[in-house]
Amino acid sequence: MADHDAPPGPTPAWLDRGTSEIFPHNPGSTDGTDNLVARIHSCDRPLRIKLGIDPTGADIHLGHSIPIRKLRAFQDAGHTAVLIIGDFTARIGDPTGKSDVRQQLTPEQVQHNAETYLQQIRPILDFDTPGRLEVRYNSQWLSQLDLGKTLELLTTMTVGQMLAKEGFAERYGQGSPIYLHEFLYPLMQGYDSVAVAADVELGGTDQKFNIAVGRDLQRYFGQTPQFGLLLPILLGTDGVQKMSKSLGNYVGLGEDPLTMYSKLEKTPDGVLESYVELLTALDWDQLPENPRDRQKALALDVVAQYHGSPAAQGAQQAALTLVQGAAGQAEAVPEFSMAAIAFPVKSFYLVSAAGLCGTSSEARRQLQNGAVKLDGQRLSDPNQTFATPADLVGQVLQVGKKKFVRLVE
Amino acid sequence: MADHDAPPGPTPAWLDRGTSEIFPHNPGSTDGTDNLVARIHSCDRPLRIKLGIDPTGADIHLGHSIPIRKLRAFQDAGHTAVLIIGDFTARIGDPTGKSDVRQQLTPEQVQHNAETYLQQIRPILDFDTPGRLEVRYNSQWLSQLDLGKTLELLTTMTVGQMLAKEGFAERYGQGSPIYLHEFLYPLMQGYDSVAVAADVELGGTDQKFNIAVGRDLQRYFGQTPQFGLLLPILLGTDGVQKMSKSLGNYVGLGEDPLTMYSKLEKTPDGVLESYVELLTALDWDQLPENPRDRQKALALDVVAQYHGSPAAQGAQQAALTLVQGAAGQAEAVPEFSMAAIAFPVKSFYLVSAAGLCGTSSEARRQLQNGAVKLDGQRLSDPNQTFATPADLVGQVLQVGKKKFVRLVE
């Protein structure tokens, strides 16, 4: 129920958790234009929470999951997540051809990447409740912008404002070339906010400038400007640098339970609390005091989010077996309990459920590629069916050379 | 006949006259990419000579005529003048609404201004010889530019290059805001060169940057880059500041013969030679030595270009009468000889031919507005016909309070 006159009160825990900054923020204000809590209370409809997704890569990691988890919190509070797939820029690429980051992709590649992305975040976002999720492709409106409209967008900012942006300022100071089209990207991102009439835009702390551009453009086009909600950039499993696939300090959302678990149970002390805050709903004060147990609790919770509780428990058990059994090859094989699997089961599902492949489709591929063995015998038919656990118990299921489990009841 | 191997030789007089700079210019080269004379000699087709026209105003003056006269020289040498009416930007105006210079015009206003412009330059450009003139409206291609193509144009330049442009550099240094869309204008002008496949672009010396942008874009799109041919900015009749309507130091192409003549016969010594060079085909060394006579020769020649020789002679005579007869009112009335007029004649034509209105349509308007008198009697019908000179001889024809002639045989 909307209550237009009440003071907004404190920021709810779901909104506050892990949030670096909300802007604008006038704490005592009851005005929904400068106080997000007041906006939440006073608005008679679900708010529209925008998050932009770059579909140039298919692999995403826990760093990417942070704004998705915040989106989920908004969904659970009754609001609408608006995911914007940045297919327009991905299709254009970097027209200079100088940047590896902005490779030009075909529409098919963009579509594939977007679908893979959505599949990977499916465990943490509400895809099912009606009205809670919109997925939009920004080529829908950006490809319609003619030169007159583009000129109009450009009039809203000055060269000085743009050069004050972090990144540009340093490059300009160093005499590194800044190509003119780079000035258009923040405006395009800002125009996305206009196109979807965003009430809130989520982003990393490095997105403040771009989100503010969106506010200016919305004001220019007669909309109430969005709020910015900034979230921290997650450090990697080295505890030092930003999580990144290229640095190898990442945990991929598509990784199998054992890999995920093994990485997370070694989370360095310096980042452990931020991982718990940003990646789980666990209460830090309720966790065991022993740092080793906290690492395990973190790892178990995160793996459960993506693979379910049984697989997480299995991974924990397997990790334990690996560590304890380091002396002998046989004992080093982790066990996977088939208790949670419904029989009869097809081979692709078994491989996936056992955490040896991130997705069912990967499992099918690996089977078809001949990379899967059961007790040393190649399994190549993804649809081969096993009637009961008894057909499998005690056997070692293996994908490639490094991933294997012993199947147990 | 194209001769690809001959050395280009000296710059022909018609090309050199009044020209400030041709770029690129490698004097000894026989390569048509860096020597315009070589290009002229080696090209098997007429060159395409571009000049952009701003249709935001309808009144043009002798300063505007300088590149038109150069265009005519190219036409006379067998090349094609490509006049580009900048209707796209005129229709958009300055989207910030901050500039008086870029008022937004309706398509009808743009069309009217363009037609008025063309009408005023008709006396000095060859409109009739087939293949010598193309008139293009740049909205034809600029309105088709989508965001992807615009991004592509923008990639061809850096912020640093743009800020090095005269005008931008000073404003940026002074901390005056430069709006981002201002960076697009040079690229749009440059893209015009691509759209018409220009071989040469004419412009004032202040246009070097924009013409060079056109070269870059042509190269980017696989064309041979155009040459730039820069012409001086004409000083006004005060001999000090740039000729400009707002400064009142101008001679309008649409002005009546007597007004034009009277302004030009007072051309200050300091600019007289440049006026002769830029506005006539007269040979300075062949002119009388007396500065007063040189002024008259300039005035007579320029008026004749726009109004024909008889009107110019009439204006000279009238000016003389005005000066000599300053003592008495009756003698101060200049005479207009009707010798060159074909009878019967309609009143609007008489008023125009007598140099009292710049154009026939203005004459019609003045008649309809009641501003015209014949021997003190109002003439209001533009189509009133006079059968013979005898009907008019000795009478005073007057428009408003300040313009009048005595009609003579």
Side-chain angles (χ1 to χ4, degrees):
Chain A
M1 292 280 269
D3 181 348
H4 294 260
D5 295 319
T11 306
W14 65 265
L15 186 59
D16 195 43
R17 183 171 181 128
T19 297
S20 292
E21 184 184 354
I22 295 173
F23 71 94
H25 182 54
N26 183 352
S29 170
T30 60
D31 183 342
T33 66
D34 65 359
N35 184 309
L36 177 55
V37 180
R39 173 86 146 258
I40 289 172
H41 283 293
S42 66
C43 196
D44 291 312
R45 54 168 178 78
L47 296 185
R48 298 175 61 72
I49 319 299
K50 170 194 169 193
L51 178 68
I53 302 291
D54 173 11
T56 51
D59 285 311
I60 57 176
H61 56 60
L62 288 177
H64 300 113
S65 77
I66 295 174
I68 307 283
R69 288 180 49 79
K70 185 62 75 181
L71 265 188
R72 173 57 183 262
F74 273 101
Q75 288 183 315
D76 290 345
H79 304 288
T80 303
V82 183
L83 280 182
I84 300 194
I85 311 291
D87 66 329
F88 182 77
T89 35
R91 285 196 205 170
I92 290 185
D94 176 1
T96 64
K98 284 171 190 150
S99 163
D100 288 340
V101 182
R102 293 195 185 273
Q103 284 189 311
Q104 188 174 2
L105 301 183
T106 64
E108 292 70 29
Q109 287 172 312
V110 171
Q111 186 65 27
H112 171 77
N113 287 349
E115 281 170 12
T116 308
Y117 195 110
L118 293 175
Q119 192 179 352
Q120 290 174 82
I121 63 170
R122 200 169 258 279
I124 46 172
L125 203 62
D126 181 352
F127 277 64
D128 302 320
T129 309
R132 294 278 162 84
L133 178 63
E134 281 180 24
V135 178
R136 308 284 298 272
Y137 291 76
N138 69 0
S139 63
Q140 192 195 335
W141 48 85
L142 292 181
S143 65
Q144 300 303 312
L145 281 187
D146 64 15
L147 184 55
K149 199 82 168 178
T150 304
L151 275 166
E152 206 176 339
L153 295 185
L154 289 167
T155 62
T156 62
M157 287 194 73
T158 69
V159 176
Q161 289 168 341
M162 201 57 98
L163 283 179
K165 175 174 152 68
E166 208 180 333
F168 287 152
E170 295 128 39
R171 286 165 59 195
Y172 191 69
Q174 292 160 1
S176 305
I178 300 169
Y179 288 87
L180 293 185
H181 69 284
E182 300 183 64
F183 280 2
L184 257 178
Y185 290 122
L187 289 162
M188 287 158 62
Q189 179 174 335
Y191 190 67
D192 288 348
S193 295
V194 174
V196 304
D199 295 298
V200 181
E201 178 166 355
L202 308 188
T205 45
D206 57 352
Q207 289 296 307
K208 187 165 187 178
F209 181 91
N210 293 344
I211 294 174
V213 170
R215 287 177 50 81
D216 288 342
L217 285 180
Q218 288 183 301
R219 199 179 288 113
Y220 179 84
F221 285 102
Q223 296 183 4
T224 303
Q226 65 189 3
F227 287 86
L229 191 155
L230 305 183
L231 294 153
I233 308 293
L234 193 72
L235 290 180
T237 51
D238 56 1
V240 179
Q241 289 187 280
K242 177 179 165 178
M243 183 174 282
S244 147
K245 193 174 182 194
S246 59
L247 294 173
N249 62 355
Y250 75 107
V251 180
L253 300 197
E255 291 188 293
D256 66 84
L258 184 54
T259 305
M260 263 187 146
Y261 187 92
S262 303
K263 289 179 177 181
L264 286 167
E265 72 165 353
K266 287 176 283 189
T267 303
D269 284 351
V271 296
L272 189 57
E273 188 169 354
S274 73
Y275 272 41
V276 169
E277 181 178 30
L278 294 167
L279 304 176
T280 78
L282 297 173
D283 186 343
W284 178 253
D285 297 328
Q286 305 284 316
L287 290 184
E289 294 216 355
N290 175 349
R292 188 83 188 89
D293 290 335
R294 285 176 165 170
Q295 290 171 319
K296 288 183 184 168
L298 166 72
L300 194 66
D301 188 282
V302 173
V303 176
Q305 289 175 45
Y306 294 94
H307 296 286
S309 204
Q313 307 251 357
Q316 186 168 52
Q317 193 57 45
L320 202 63
T321 309
L322 274 171
V323 171
Q324 291 174 338
Q329 170 68 16
E331 286 173 57
V333 177
E335 293 181 346
F336 173 70
S337 163
M338 297 179 286
I341 292 184
F343 278 83
V345 68
K346 294 190 174 177
S347 61
F348 81 88
Y349 184 80
L350 179 69
V351 170
S352 169
L356 299 174
C357 288
T359 63
S360 299
S361 55
E362 199 205 334
R364 284 180 182 279
R365 250 194 326 274
Q366 295 283 22
L367 283 155
Q368 283 160 348
N369 291 346
V372 180
K373 291 181 181 168
L374 185 63
D375 255 7
Q377 299 294 312
R378 182 161 296 156
L379 259 189
S380 53
D381 178 3
N383 294 317
Q384 182 170 339
T385 303
F386 302 97
T388 68
D391 296 336
L392 296 164
V393 76
Q395 298 190 40
V396 171
L397 185 64
Q398 181 175 3
V399 176
K401 290 189 178 159
K402 294 189 184 158
K403 296 186 199 165
F404 36 76
V405 292
R406 184 178 304 279
L407 299 168
V408 297
E409 288 275 350
Chain B
M1 290 284 270
D3 181 348
H4 294 260
D5 296 318
T11 306
W14 65 265
L15 186 59
D16 195 42
R17 183 171 180 127
T19 297
S20 292
E21 184 183 354
I22 294 172
F23 70 94
H25 181 54
N26 184 352
S29 170
T30 60
D31 184 340
T33 67
D34 64 359
N35 185 310
L36 177 54
V37 179
R39 174 87 145 258
I40 288 171
H41 283 293
S42 66
C43 194
D44 291 311
R45 55 167 177 80
L47 298 184
R48 300 175 59 73
I49 319 301
K50 171 194 170 195
L51 177 68
I53 302 291
D54 173 10
T56 51
D59 286 309
I60 57 175
H61 56 59
L62 288 177
H64 300 112
S65 77
I66 295 175
I68 307 283
R69 288 178 51 78
K70 185 62 77 181
L71 266 189
R72 173 58 183 263
F74 274 101
Q75 288 183 314
D76 289 346
H79 304 290
T80 303
V82 183
L83 280 182
I84 300 192
I85 311 291
D87 65 328
F88 182 77
T89 36
R91 286 195 206 172
I92 289 183
D94 176 1
T96 64
K98 283 173 191 149
S99 162
D100 289 339
V101 182
R102 294 197 185 272
Q103 284 188 311
Q104 188 175 3
L105 301 182
T106 64
E108 292 71 28
Q109 287 172 312
V110 171
Q111 186 64 25
H112 171 78
N113 287 349
E115 282 169 10
T116 307
Y117 196 109
L118 294 175
Q119 191 179 355
Q120 289 174 83
I121 63 170
R122 200 169 258 277
I124 47 173
L125 203 62
D126 181 352
F127 277 63
D128 302 319
T129 309
R132 293 278 162 84
L133 178 63
E134 281 180 23
V135 178
R136 307 284 297 272
Y137 290 77
N138 69 0
S139 63
Q140 193 196 332
W141 48 86
L142 293 181
S143 66
Q144 302 303 313
L145 281 186
D146 64 16
L147 183 56
K149 199 81 169 178
T150 304
L151 275 166
E152 206 175 340
L153 296 187
L154 288 167
T155 61
T156 62
M157 287 194 73
T158 69
V159 177
Q161 289 168 340
M162 201 55 99
L163 283 179
K165 175 175 152 66
E166 207 180 332
F168 287 153
E170 295 126 39
R171 285 166 59 196
Y172 191 68
Q174 291 160 1
S176 306
I178 299 169
Y179 288 86
L180 294 185
H181 69 285
E182 300 183 64
F183 280 2
L184 257 178
Y185 290 123
L187 289 162
M188 288 158 62
Q189 178 174 335
Y191 190 66
D192 289 346
S193 294
V194 175
V196 304
D199 295 297
V200 180
E201 178 167 355
L202 307 188
T205 46
D206 57 351
Q207 290 295 308
K208 186 164 185 176
F209 181 92
N210 293 344
I211 294 173
V213 170
R215 286 177 52 81
D216 289 342
L217 286 180
Q218 288 182 302
R219 198 179 288 114
Y220 179 84
F221 285 102
Q223 297 182 4
T224 303
Q226 64 189 2
F227 288 86
L229 190 155
L230 306 182
L231 294 154
I233 308 292
L234 192 70
L235 289 180
T237 52
D238 56 1
V240 180
Q241 290 187 280
K242 178 179 166 179
M243 185 175 280
S244 146
K245 193 176 180 193
S246 58
L247 295 172
N249 61 355
Y250 74 108
V251 179
L253 299 197
E255 291 188 295
D256 64 84
L258 183 55
T259 305
M260 264 186 143
Y261 187 93
S262 303
K263 289 179 176 179
L264 287 167
E265 72 165 352
K266 287 176 284 188
T267 304
D269 285 351
V271 296
L272 189 57
E273 188 169 354
S274 73
Y275 271 41
V276 169
E277 181 178 31
L278 294 167
L279 304 176
T280 78
L282 297 173
D283 185 343
W284 179 254
D285 296 328
Q286 304 285 314
L287 291 184
E289 294 216 353
N290 176 349
R292 188 81 188 88
D293 290 336
R294 286 176 164 166
Q295 289 172 319
K296 286 183 187 169
L298 165 72
L300 193 67
D301 188 280
V302 173
V303 176
Q305 289 176 43
Y306 295 93
H307 296 286
S309 202
Q313 306 253 356
Q316 185 170 52
Q317 193 57 45
L320 201 63
T321 309
L322 273 170
V323 171
Q324 290 175 334
Q329 169 67 17
E331 288 173 56
V333 177
E335 292 181 346
F336 174 70
S337 164
M338 297 178 286
I341 294 183
F343 280 81
V345 67
K346 293 189 174 176
S347 60
F348 81 88
Y349 184 77
L350 179 69
V351 170
S352 169
L356 298 173
C357 290
T359 63
S360 297
S361 54
E362 198 205 331
R364 285 180 182 280
R365 246 193 330 273
Q366 295 283 22
L367 283 156
Q368 283 159 349
N369 291 343
V372 180
K373 290 180 183 169
L374 183 63
D375 254 8
Q377 298 294 315
R378 181 163 296 154
L379 260 188
S380 53
D381 179 4
N383 294 317
Q384 182 171 339
T385 303
F386 301 96
T388 70
D391 296 335
L392 296 164
V393 75
Q395 297 190 40
V396 171
L397 183 64
Q398 181 175 3
V399 175
K401 290 189 182 162
K402 296 188 184 157
K403 297 187 198 166
F404 36 76
V405 292
R406 185 178 304 280
L407 300 168
V408 296
E409 287 278 350

